[in-house]
Amino acid sequence: MKKSFLTVILSLSFVVFFSLSVFSAEFPGPDAAKIDWNQSNGQSIRVMACSRDAITYLKNIVPEFEKLTGIKVAIDDYPEAEFFRKIIIDLSSGNPVSDVFMLSHAYSTMYEAGGWLEPLEPYLENSSLTDKAWYDFEDYPAGSLSAVVINGKLYGIPIAPDNQIVFYRKDLFEEAGLLYPNNMDELYDDAVKLNNPPNHAGVVLRLARGAGTHWPWNGYIQNYGGSWLNTETKRPELDSPQVIAGTEMYLKLLKDAGPAGAVNYSWYEASSDFAQGKAAIFAGDANIFMSSFEDPSRSQVAGKVAYALLPPAPDGNNAPAAGTAWHWGMSSVSKSKEAGWLFIQWATSKDIALRLGIDTTEIMRNSIWQSETLKNKYPTVPDWIEASSATMNQFSGLYRFPRVKEFGPLADIVEALLQEMFLGQISVADGMAKAQAQTLEVMKME
């Protein structure tokens, strides 16, 4: 597949308002693109999105796109669970109101099977719509596209990542005479040593059902050489020794060094505890939490946090940590596809990506991670930049989340059994054997 990329930039009044005029010197704006931005003037599009900082930022600056193109844009965003319900209802209706929408790795295969997604490569390859040299599609890590290239067709453009990294209290490590662990066994030992209730837990992680607990857990099983599904045969491998080992470590950390009530912890409880100084290690979650941890108005640990990759398994093998991306997709029955594509280009362009990344720390493009503007904005956390960009490129060659239409039920099976195993209702080996059997049943495999 030939690759390309396109961008749109913001009007001067908003650039001044957001104090970001310096960014245009690093990446050229829409005036540098050899296309007609007014070709869909007078049209309107509706965008449905999952609420997160990147969307809040885009909603604030979308008047710039409207001024640039003459296209009216309505963006509706909802909390994650509500968004998933609404977008499936909308797309499956046969007459969706959404022209453009956020596309999760978890559901891309199901949406494609339903015929709801518009292939995007024709828009990338259309020289009247896309200046390929300026858009620079090659700037994206290959792994960020793996969930949206289905049957050889591209259905999404990355907008926001979730890269799994470790957050840890460097002050507590120093006081205890500890260095960052070399492997997962050492991570466990450090978490137990630093566990000091009721002052702080040694570690926090997600464990609540329905809170995306499968996401950080998946990074652990990969770290031990396991895989949810075989990448070639798509057959589940949940009862493999490697998956069992990774699961045992995930649960052992929480049992022996986690907070009271860990079974109910979502990303919100885990990140809140860490920000409030109630945990020594946040042992693998989305890199975007850095901005809140380093904000003294929201965090009691600002300036006390270090960032790193998940340590390798004890044998030294270190598969990619969990890494996923949200994408912009387009409805296959939209009546404003060219206008929708112009919006997607604008929202994912280098100039916008830099501005958005500086403000929200939601960064997809390699060029933004390498940007001097980013480094100057966050001079105190070079380890966060290094770990985040390394994770994003690390998972590029090995995307191990199930790319099947049954993903939702498969995630629920794992999350329900993780709780049962944590509570001692079933052993890890028996729990993963049960997960294997239930997954085979859902996927209609023998």
Side-chain angles (χ1 to χ4, degrees):
M1 181 185 73
K2 296 180 180 178
K3 296 180 179 179
S4 35
F5 216 21
L6 207 52
T7 141
V8 179
I9 295 188
L10 318 174
S11 65
L12 283 176
S13 60
F14 276 82
V15 170
V16 172
F17 179 79
F18 283 93
S19 301
L20 296 173
S21 57
V22 294
F23 296 173
S24 59
E26 192 160 2
F27 298 113
D31 291 341
K34 298 176 182 178
I35 62 169
D36 176 12
W37 289 106
N38 286 291
Q39 59 189 282
S40 295
N41 193 323
Q43 294 189 28
S44 298
I45 61 169
R46 183 167 290 276
V47 178
M48 189 181 294
C50 177
S51 299
R52 55 190 295 153
D53 288 348
I55 301 306
T56 300
Y57 187 85
L58 287 175
K59 288 175 72 174
N60 286 335
I61 64 172
V62 79
E64 300 181 24
F65 173 76
E66 294 176 326
K67 181 177 180 180
L68 176 71
T69 62
I71 300 167
K72 296 298 294 182
V73 181
I75 301 179
D76 303 313
D77 67 305
Y78 306 94
E80 187 170 303
E82 184 179 1
F83 165 74
F84 283 133
R85 289 194 299 270
K86 285 183 176 292
I87 192 61
I88 290 176
I89 291 171
D90 187 42
L91 295 176
S92 63
S93 70
N95 188 28
V97 299
S98 304
D99 299 290
V100 173
F101 52 91
M102 282 180 70
L103 179 60
S104 166
H105 73 98
Y107 296 99
S108 57
T109 303
M110 183 180 78
Y111 293 178
E112 188 273 341
W116 304 337
L117 299 177
E118 175 76 2
L120 298 181
E121 187 174 4
Y123 301 88
L124 281 167
E125 298 297 328
N126 186 333
S127 60
S128 67
L129 288 169
T130 306
D131 181 339
K132 295 173 66 175
W134 172 74
Y135 192 58
D136 190 14
F137 188 72
E138 299 286 349
D139 195 30
Y140 284 113
S144 68
L145 301 168
S146 58
V148 290
V149 175
I150 304 170
N151 297 323
K153 295 182 179 180
L154 175 70
Y155 289 104
I157 302 294
I159 178 176
D162 287 317
N163 296 334
Q164 187 180 32
I165 64 173
V166 175
F167 311 83
Y168 66 99
R169 290 279 301 280
K170 56 187 177 184
D171 57 326
L172 296 180
F173 269 71
E174 290 170 3
E175 290 172 8
L178 300 174
L179 299 175
Y180 188 69
N182 293 308
N183 57 53
M184 294 299 293
D185 282 349
E186 290 183 9
L187 176 68
Y188 169 79
D189 291 341
D190 291 350
V192 171
K193 290 175 184 176
L194 293 170
N195 190 34
N196 185 25
N199 296 322
H200 58 256
V203 68
V204 286
L205 280 163
R206 305 187 206 187
L207 194 56
R209 185 175 179 180
T213 295
H214 67 272
W215 187 82
W217 165 82
N218 191 60
Y220 275 65
I221 67 168
Q222 289 182 184
N223 217 14
Y224 281 79
S227 181
W228 199 330
L229 301 186
N230 183 286
T231 53
E232 298 296 328
T233 67
K234 299 297 186 289
R235 185 176 179 83
E237 298 181 336
L238 292 170
D239 56 353
S240 71
Q242 295 85 357
V243 171
I244 291 172
T247 303
E248 286 177 337
M249 176 56 73
Y250 192 92
L251 297 175
K252 185 168 73 166
L253 279 165
L254 287 172
K255 285 180 179 180
D256 297 345
V263 73
N264 298 313
Y265 269 50
S266 70
W267 62 264
Y268 177 80
E269 287 78 17
S271 62
S272 295
D273 271 16
F274 190 80
Q276 293 167 16
K278 296 180 180 179
I281 308 169
F282 189 7
D285 216 296
N287 65 315
I288 60 174
F289 289 120
M290 182 278 290
S291 58
S292 61
F293 294 158
E294 297 295 342
D295 182 351
S297 69
R298 296 186 286 171
S299 170
Q300 297 181 28
V301 297
K304 301 177 181 179
V305 182
Y307 308 87
L309 294 173
L310 199 66
D315 63 3
N317 293 328
N318 186 196
T324 52
W326 284 90
H327 302 77
W328 287 122
M330 190 189 304
S331 169
S332 60
V333 296
S334 169
K335 296 180 175 61
S336 303
K337 292 178 181 177
E338 288 76 14
W341 172 249
L342 290 175
F343 172 80
I344 291 173
Q345 290 181 82
W346 172 79
T348 57
S349 65
K350 282 187 178 180
D351 182 74
I352 298 297
L354 178 59
R355 292 172 56 179
L356 185 151
I358 292 296
D359 189 84
T360 69
T361 70
E362 301 205 36
I363 300 168
M364 283 305 317
R365 286 173 165 269
N366 283 322
S367 61
I368 309 304
W369 285 116
Q370 299 161 8
S371 163
E372 290 303 315
T373 307
L374 180 72
K375 295 173 184 177
N376 292 337
K377 173 67 175 180
Y378 298 109
T380 63
V381 289
D383 50 347
W384 171 77
I385 294 175
E386 181 180 357
S388 299
S389 58
T391 299
M392 185 171 67
N393 283 283
Q394 192 185 44
F395 82 80
S396 294
L398 200 59
Y399 185 89
R400 286 183 171 175
F401 282 92
R403 293 179 55 188
V404 293
K405 62 181 183 297
E406 303 92 349
F407 180 81
L410 302 191
D412 189 61
I413 288 170
V414 166
E415 293 182 3
L417 284 165
L418 282 172
Q419 289 198 332
E420 291 183 25
M421 290 181 283
F422 176 79
L423 294 170
Q425 297 169 356
I426 190 171
S427 70
V428 173
D430 289 345
M432 297 318 298
K434 185 175 180 180
Q436 175 78 0
Q438 291 181 350
T439 298
L440 286 169
E441 183 178 357
V442 169
M443 296 183 68
K444 296 181 172 56
M445 290 183 172
E446 295 294 334

